[in-house]
Amino acid sequence: MSQTISVELDSQPIELCKLLKVANLVGGGGEAKVVISEGYVAVNGEIEYQKRKKIYNNDVIEFNSDFIEVICHAPVIETPIKKRQQPTAASPKKNVKSKTSEKSAAKVGRRKKISF
């Protein structure tokens, strides 16, 4: 049996996977991403595969015979896109060659612990 769920948001847009979680149609974010990538979710009548698809006011999402209607009266908030910094004439690209010593060449087959 299908039902229509109205979700009122304080700000827009919201990512599709987060909307499925907010509407309690999935158990968690991982499940939301799987059902979207498998093609079980439609946005405004078309199958959507983008997990982070931005959803806006009056969009209708269909999943598992349920419908979600998004309601938001706040203006759209877009995040700025970061641009890559281009090298300037003052700071040209440097050609960096990797140096391998005989000692490290002998350790090729060993695992190296990397911490972040």
Side-chain angles (χ1 to χ4, degrees):
M1 177 168 211
S2 66
Q3 62 178 350
T4 301
I5 303 166
S6 294
V7 175
E8 292 190 28
L9 303 174
D10 294 333
S11 63
Q12 60 180 336
I14 186 171
E15 294 174 356
L16 181 57
C17 59
K18 290 180 183 178
L19 181 63
L20 292 177
K21 285 183 359 183
V22 169
N24 291 324
L25 294 179
V26 292
E31 184 181 350
K33 290 177 181 180
V34 169
V35 296
I36 295 167
S37 65
E38 294 291 324
Y40 294 113
V41 180
V43 176
N44 297 326
E46 295 197 21
I47 301 295
E48 185 58 61
Y49 296 99
Q50 297 178 46
K51 301 168 194 122
R52 295 182 179 235
K53 171 78 174 169
K54 293 184 191 299
I55 305 299
Y56 297 92
N57 185 38
N58 293 329
D59 282 345
V60 177
I61 289 75
E62 182 181 358
F63 169 65
N64 204 21
S65 300
D66 292 326
F67 294 90
I68 306 170
E69 182 183 9
V70 178
I71 301 169
C72 184
H73 301 293
V76 176
I77 300 171
E78 288 292 335
T79 55
I81 299 172
K82 293 181 181 179
K83 293 184 180 179
R84 279 197 216 172
Q85 186 177 6
Q86 297 294 326
T88 60
S91 62
K93 282 187 174 180
K94 296 179 182 178
N95 290 333
V96 179
K97 295 182 181 179
S98 61
K99 296 180 181 179
T100 9
S101 66
E102 292 175 19
K103 205 174 196 182
S104 64
K107 295 181 180 179
V108 171
R110 295 185 188 170
R111 290 188 178 181
K112 196 173 191 180
K113 186 175 181 180
I114 300 173
S115 58
F116 294 91

